[in-house]
Amino acid sequence: MNSIQVQNDEIEIIEKLLLPESAHFPDDAKSVIKCWESTDVSACPGSGKTTVLLAKLKILADRMPLDNGEGVCVLSHTNVAVNEIKTRLSSCADKLLNYPNYVGTIQSFIDLYIVKPYLKRKTTATLQVVDDDVFSFHLLSLIYKTNDYPQLRGLLKNNFNKEIYPTILDMVKSLYLKDEALYLGRQARPLAGKGTKSSTQYILAIENLLKNEGMIRYKDAYRYAEEAIAELSDKYVELFSRRFKYVFIDEYQDCDVVQRRALDKIFDKTKACVLHIGDPDQAIYNSDVVNQEDWTPSESALSIATPNRYGQQIADVINHLKKREGNIISAESLTSCKPTLIVFDDGTRNKVINTFIDILKSNDLVASDGIYKVVGAVKKKSLAGLKISDYWEDFDPSGKHTSENNYWNYIQTITMSLEEGKGYLAELNIRKLLCKILNYLGKKYTIHSIKEKLDNTHFETYKMSILKIFELSEYTKDIVDDEIKNMVNALIPSANGAKSVWDELPKYFLEDIYSCDKDIKHHNSMYVPSDNITIQFDTVHGVKGETHDATLYLETEKGGTSDIKKVLPFFIGGKPTKTADYSRKCVYVGMSRPRKLLCLAIHKKTYGISKNTFDTWNVIECE
């Protein structure tokens, strides 16, 4: 395979396009930009790996069309790459986003090229991936309307417990297969073992729903992916090597085992340039999955260990939490404030957030457009021990906005589903929104009955509206809002003398809780009117990939101990417990978000066993 030669003057042109004025790529980033052979790339937090990827795409775009109709494949877990190309490489976006290239999510790619072709061999019906509610409804109907499942019916009847499951449908929703045995809910022992008539009939029912109705659940798509990978033919795999000569897989550390196996089988590293880009120390999405093996970059992996986000004072903190050898060395031009520790006890825990605000002021970091976030690892209020809500009681652990039934929450959910390439999920939430609007108008529908109504009465109108939404050039809240309103206006006529159906809906339902108006209370955020700043609260998982001006990491507890207690050995040279690795990654991700100031809030008891961990920090005790 011919390698691309990139000269320094070409990189200089790209630096002017993608970097701030007078800024340059560090040497390690340039090495990645100039590399056109298959390899792994380990990128530290804040290293600008997305910008490095865009630089490589710009180099390829300038050489398009490639030889023999070859294309480029860019995969990640969200559609961020698509948006970055459109905004930062707008002049060559058309080249990069059209055939023979593919830019999208990993799961969408696997569904499109592996799972769907495999399932089409199993059914002639139109494939539809549905949620557990829809699937369980159809499964229960199938079990009871034919005589093919007598043992399974008897099993359900004999084990149904109204104290646990309100209805038999709820019980069916809790059924799942594990090693071909049938389990119920969280019960440790199988309800029916492998090879029993009941478990065999359950498998048969699922297969019949696929065969006759093309219906599978989201979680079944994962199982079918494993089957499909095993049956991929060499000829089919060869087609990918011919089409995609340059393959970039971002956030590779968050791929699960099935995704990695699929991607490794599809993309032949000897026939294409395949780059796995990520940071093993930030693998927090699959770290708590049983038997999940973390991605380990090869010994010959390239590294981008020069952050352009934070100064060395923050780098020195997170270096203790790295698993791979080699320290993060910040550029000399980057400076950060001295990290600050906030120590509290049971009586002063409610002072932590105000203390954080005072620290912002003392470091002259208060600005109306500043990004200040408070993050923690444990969000569930029902759990014992420290949680985010123990520091700020208004925290909503559901991750939803002030009202989950608010119009703008639906719009946001639909937009995010579209960005992630999950059209089926977007369409489901559109139906939920239509049900909610009709319910306010006194017409009761469910997501099932509304589908029947749309199919029978408004099929063409609804189909064309959905297609128009799916084919939007970009997915933003405002654009999706416009199309949804056009759809509603076409489907639901106004009544009661109102000019528009929107005039008949409650004001609180239509209130824009995403507005930037400071007078409106934002979800999981606290506005400080005296300083004209907003403090936002989130989980570690929620802020992954973000950059803040200042970050306060909260000590939280689960399973009788805290994340900070678990990671202290990494700082003081002790021996971490076997369960500490997941906490290490969470703390690593959370503490690597800020540009200027890192704060950590810990209990006085934790501080008492920290030895010399925080000798180089500013230490402030809440009073």
Side-chain angles (χ1 to χ4, degrees):
M1 184 176 65
N2 294 329
S3 181
I4 292 176
Q5 300 299 317
V6 181
Q7 303 302 321
N8 288 333
D9 56 351
E10 187 173 4
I11 292 181
E12 289 175 5
I13 293 172
I14 294 173
E15 287 175 336
K16 292 178 181 178
L17 175 66
L18 297 177
L19 301 182
E21 187 175 355
S22 301
H24 300 280
F25 288 111
D27 290 341
D28 51 10
K30 288 181 181 178
S31 296
V32 175
I33 294 172
K34 292 181 177 181
C35 175
W36 298 96
E37 304 295 332
S38 294
T39 190
D40 295 334
V41 178
S42 180
C44 76
S47 61
K49 65 180 177 60
T50 300
T51 303
V52 170
L53 176 56
L54 290 175
K56 294 182 76 69
L57 293 177
K58 178 66 169 67
I59 290 167
L60 288 170
D62 290 342
R63 289 160 172 78
M64 289 180 179
L66 303 178
D67 295 340
N68 304 315
E70 298 164 352
V72 178
C73 184
V74 183
L75 301 175
S76 189
H77 294 278
T78 67
N79 273 324
V80 169
V82 175
N83 298 329
E84 290 286 333
I85 289 171
K86 288 179 178 178
T87 56
R88 300 177 67 186
L89 293 179
S90 56
S91 62
C92 52
D94 287 342
K95 288 183 182 179
L96 292 169
L97 297 177
N98 289 308
Y99 187 87
N101 305 318
Y102 184 98
V103 183
T105 67
I106 294 169
Q107 194 56 52
S108 294
F109 184 88
I110 292 174
D111 287 345
L112 178 63
Y113 290 112
I114 298 179
V115 178
K116 286 185 178 179
Y118 174 71
L119 293 179
K120 284 180 180 179
R121 304 206 308 265
K122 289 178 169 284
T123 179
T124 57
T126 301
L127 288 173
Q128 48 179 329
V129 184
V130 299
D131 61 21
D132 286 349
D133 289 321
V134 175
F135 189 86
S136 300
F137 177 80
H138 285 269
L139 182 62
L140 186 62
S141 299
L142 179 64
I143 293 170
Y144 276 88
K145 76 179 182 181
T146 70
N147 294 319
D148 297 333
Y149 315 97
Q151 282 77 22
L152 181 56
R153 275 202 307 272
L155 185 74
L156 295 175
K157 180 180 179 181
N158 294 333
N159 289 274
F160 178 58
N161 186 339
K162 280 191 174 183
E163 293 182 3
I164 302 176
Y165 301 103
T167 68
I168 192 74
L169 180 63
D170 293 297
M171 181 182 180
V172 171
K173 278 175 58 178
S174 295
L175 292 173
Y176 66 96
L177 288 169
K178 181 181 178 183
D179 299 326
E180 296 189 32
L182 187 59
Y183 285 79
L184 177 62
R186 297 183 178 180
Q187 293 181 6
R189 297 179 62 183
L191 194 63
K194 177 181 178 180
T196 61
K197 290 184 178 180
S198 294
S199 59
T200 302
Q201 288 172 11
Y202 180 80
I203 295 171
L204 176 64
I206 290 176
E207 293 294 335
N208 281 337
L209 279 181
L210 170 61
K211 180 180 178 181
N212 300 323
E213 300 186 42
M215 187 179 294
I216 63 170
R217 291 169 294 190
Y218 304 127
K219 57 188 175 187
D220 287 330
Y222 188 93
R223 178 167 62 92
Y224 286 121
E226 290 190 284
E227 293 179 10
I229 294 165
E231 294 190 15
L232 284 177
S233 68
D234 293 338
K235 289 184 179 179
Y236 188 62
V237 171
E238 178 67 22
L239 294 176
F240 290 97
S241 297
R242 292 181 184 178
R243 175 172 169 183
F244 300 117
K245 284 299 178 185
Y246 301 96
V247 181
F248 307 109
I249 307 172
D250 197 12
E251 300 292 350
Y252 191 74
Q253 78 280 348
D254 286 327
C255 289
D256 58 41
V257 172
V258 173
Q259 289 173 332
R260 284 185 222 159
R261 192 155 59 239
L263 297 172
D264 288 345
K265 188 162 186 178
I266 288 175
F267 299 120
D268 188 336
K269 295 179 183 178
T270 65
K271 298 178 180 178
C273 169
V274 182
L275 259 62
H276 298 155
I277 309 168
D279 181 0
D281 291 314
Q282 295 189 70
I284 61 175
Y285 283 104
N286 291 306
S287 295
D288 55 350
V289 176
V290 178
N291 297 325
Q292 173 70 41
E293 294 182 7
D294 286 344
W295 168 55
T296 301
S298 61
E299 292 185 3
S300 60
L302 296 177
S303 174
I304 310 178
T306 307
N308 52 33
R309 176 185 294 160
Y310 42 81
Q312 194 59 41
Q313 287 185 308
I314 293 177
D316 288 341
V317 174
I318 63 175
N319 272 331
H320 288 287
L321 300 168
K322 286 178 85 280
K323 195 170 186 179
R324 284 174 60 82
E325 294 182 2
N327 284 333
I328 299 171
I329 306 297
S330 177
E332 292 183 4
S333 59
L334 292 174
T335 58
S336 298
C337 301
K338 192 175 183 180
T340 300
L341 184 73
I342 302 174
V343 182
F344 63 89
D345 58 27
D346 293 341
T348 59
R349 187 177 60 233
N350 61 348
K351 306 290 185 183
V352 167
I353 306 306
N354 286 333
T355 302
F356 176 54
I357 295 171
D358 290 339
I359 294 169
L360 293 176
K361 294 178 184 178
S362 66
N363 283 281
D364 197 25
L365 292 179
V366 174
S368 60
D369 59 348
I371 301 174
Y372 314 108
K373 289 213 172 183
V374 178
V375 303
V378 180
K379 64 179 182 178
K380 287 185 179 179
K381 290 187 176 182
S382 60
L383 294 176
L386 282 172
K387 305 166 288 293
I388 298 173
S389 57
D390 290 323
Y391 296 87
W392 189 62
E393 62 181 10
D394 290 336
F395 180 74
D396 176 13
S398 70
K400 297 180 180 178
H401 289 260
T402 307
S403 168
E404 65 179 51
N405 292 323
N406 181 278
Y407 171 78
W408 292 100
N409 185 70
Y410 283 108
I411 295 300
Q412 184 75 352
T413 302
I414 293 165
T415 302
M416 290 175 63
S417 298
L418 292 167
E419 287 178 342
E420 293 170 2
K422 298 178 180 177
Y424 56 85
L425 195 54
E427 191 275 334
L428 176 65
N429 281 290
I430 289 171
R431 272 189 281 137
K432 287 183 179 179
L433 173 58
L434 291 174
C435 289
K436 192 66 183 177
I437 291 173
L438 288 166
N439 287 347
Y440 278 126
L441 301 178
K443 302 173 183 179
K444 301 299 181 183
Y445 283 95
T446 66
I447 56 173
H448 314 306
S449 60
I450 192 69
K451 186 177 188 304
E452 184 177 352
K453 176 71 172 177
L454 291 167
D455 288 345
N456 293 338
T457 311
H458 305 285
F459 180 76
E460 283 299 323
T461 301
Y462 184 66
K463 181 181 75 172
M464 295 309 296
S465 297
I466 290 292
L467 286 175
K468 189 173 182 181
I469 291 171
F470 286 179
E471 293 174 355
L472 289 169
S473 58
E474 61 179 319
Y475 301 123
T476 67
K477 183 195 77 170
D478 292 334
I479 292 175
V480 173
D481 166 46
D482 286 342
E483 292 303 326
I484 292 293
K485 283 180 175 170
N486 289 337
M487 173 192 288
V488 171
N489 290 335
L491 292 172
I492 307 174
S494 58
N496 304 322
K499 293 181 180 179
S500 164
V501 65
W502 306 100
D503 296 330
E504 303 177 66
L505 301 176
K507 288 184 178 179
Y508 64 81
F509 176 68
L510 298 173
E511 180 188 37
D512 188 352
I513 56 176
Y514 288 86
S515 168
C516 292
D517 186 347
K518 296 291 185 181
D519 292 331
I520 296 176
K521 183 180 178 182
H522 291 245
H523 172 69
N524 281 344
S525 66
M526 181 180 75
Y527 177 55
V528 186
S530 59
D531 299 299
N532 194 28
I533 61 171
T534 298
I535 308 296
Q536 300 176 62
F537 296 77
D538 208 339
T539 63
V540 173
H541 290 76
V543 300
K544 188 170 181 288
E546 293 183 353
T547 297
H548 313 152
D549 290 298
T551 305
L552 168 59
Y553 191 98
L554 304 173
E555 178 180 19
T556 57
E557 297 174 330
K558 189 176 182 180
T561 188
S562 80
D563 49 356
I564 301 303
K565 288 178 182 176
K566 285 183 177 180
V567 303
L568 281 178
F570 292 102
F571 287 90
I572 59 181
K575 187 176 180 180
T577 63
K578 291 181 180 180
T579 60
D581 201 51
Y582 183 58
S583 293
R584 175 188 68 82
K585 294 174 187 175
C586 286
V587 178
Y588 178 83
V589 168
M591 288 189 173
S592 58
R593 299 306 100 201
R595 292 191 302 119
K596 301 175 182 178
L597 173 66
L598 168 64
C599 291
L600 168 65
I602 64 172
H603 196 281
K604 206 168 191 175
K605 292 179 179 178
T606 306
Y607 183 54
I609 61 172
S610 63
K611 296 185 179 179
N612 60 345
T613 300
F614 303 107
D615 286 353
T616 60
W617 294 50
N618 287 326
V619 180
I620 297 176
E621 292 199 30
C622 290
E623 298 179 357

